[in-house]
Amino acid sequence: SYLNPDKDKVDDIKSVALAFSRWLPDVFAEVLQDNKSTKLNLKRICFVLTKADLWAHLYDLGDTAQSSVNNRDAYVHAKEILGGLFFNSIRQFFNEDTQFAFCMSSVFGFQNGRVNNLFLENMDKHVDDNDQIEISVNEWQPYNVIEPFIFLLNGDNIDNRIKEITWKQMGS
């Protein structure tokens, strides 16, 4: 949801994104510190961009919320948040045959192409940590929540909801 049209919040949100971008390479370097290898031997990596419903809501996409998320290039979205240089530097921790993937996700999901009303209601309530969110199974339609895990397990890209890129494309 970082790509937010509300200019008053951009600085706060950007600082969180930048803190993440500084932290992740340190974690990778620390993992490699005790290994003889200079690369993380991972077959697949998936960057999941959560709160796609919030992004659609902030841009007031209405009936086109889900289709806009479906058509949004998740890699381009991620680069607009963290910058191409971040992804260029991240790839150095992986082998050239590592599969990279990006997807947008929403726990609340969409209903009839629109942002799920339960999401909007709970966003307005400012739910406390102790409050329970009541969700009917019929009203809950998560979007792209399990697909990243399936991709990581076996490489399947269900309904092409995941943008796959190569090691060489990272950062470009």
Side-chain angles (χ1 to χ4, degrees), residues 6 8 17 27 52 59 61 74 78 81 101 114 133 144 149:
D6 184 349
D8 295 334
V27 170
Y59 278 93
L61 296 175
I81 295 169
R114 300 180 66 82
I133 298 172
N144 238 14
F149 294 102

Side-chain angles (χ1 to χ4, degrees), residues 48-140:
V48 181
L49 306 161
T50 60
K51 298 185 181 182
D53 47 1
L54 179 57
W55 175 78
H57 174 68
L58 292 172
Y59 278 93
D60 197 25
L61 296 175
D63 291 339
T64 65
Q66 184 171 0
S67 63
S68 296
V69 170
N70 283 341
N71 293 322
R72 179 81 172 144
D73 184 316
Y75 177 55
V76 169
H77 193 84
K79 281 195 326 182
E80 288 178 12
I81 295 169
L82 296 172
L85 186 58
F86 169 74
F87 293 106
N88 188 37
S89 66
I90 287 296
R91 75 179 181 172
Q92 303 308 316
F93 291 99
F94 300 95
N95 296 315
E96 289 190 26
D97 61 345
T98 302
Q99 292 176 280
F100 292 96
F102 295 80
C103 71
M104 295 179 74
S105 178
S106 165
V107 172
F108 282 98
F110 301 92
Q111 288 181 327
N112 301 319
R114 300 180 66 82
V115 172
N116 189 326
N117 283 332
L118 284 172
F119 167 76
L120 298 174
E121 290 169 16
N122 284 294
M123 192 171 81
D124 290 338
K125 283 183 192 176
H126 303 292
V127 178
D128 293 328
D129 290 336
N130 296 330
D131 290 345
Q132 292 288 335
I133 298 172
E134 294 182 27
I135 301 175
S136 163
V137 173
N138 296 330
E139 295 172 322
W140 186 39

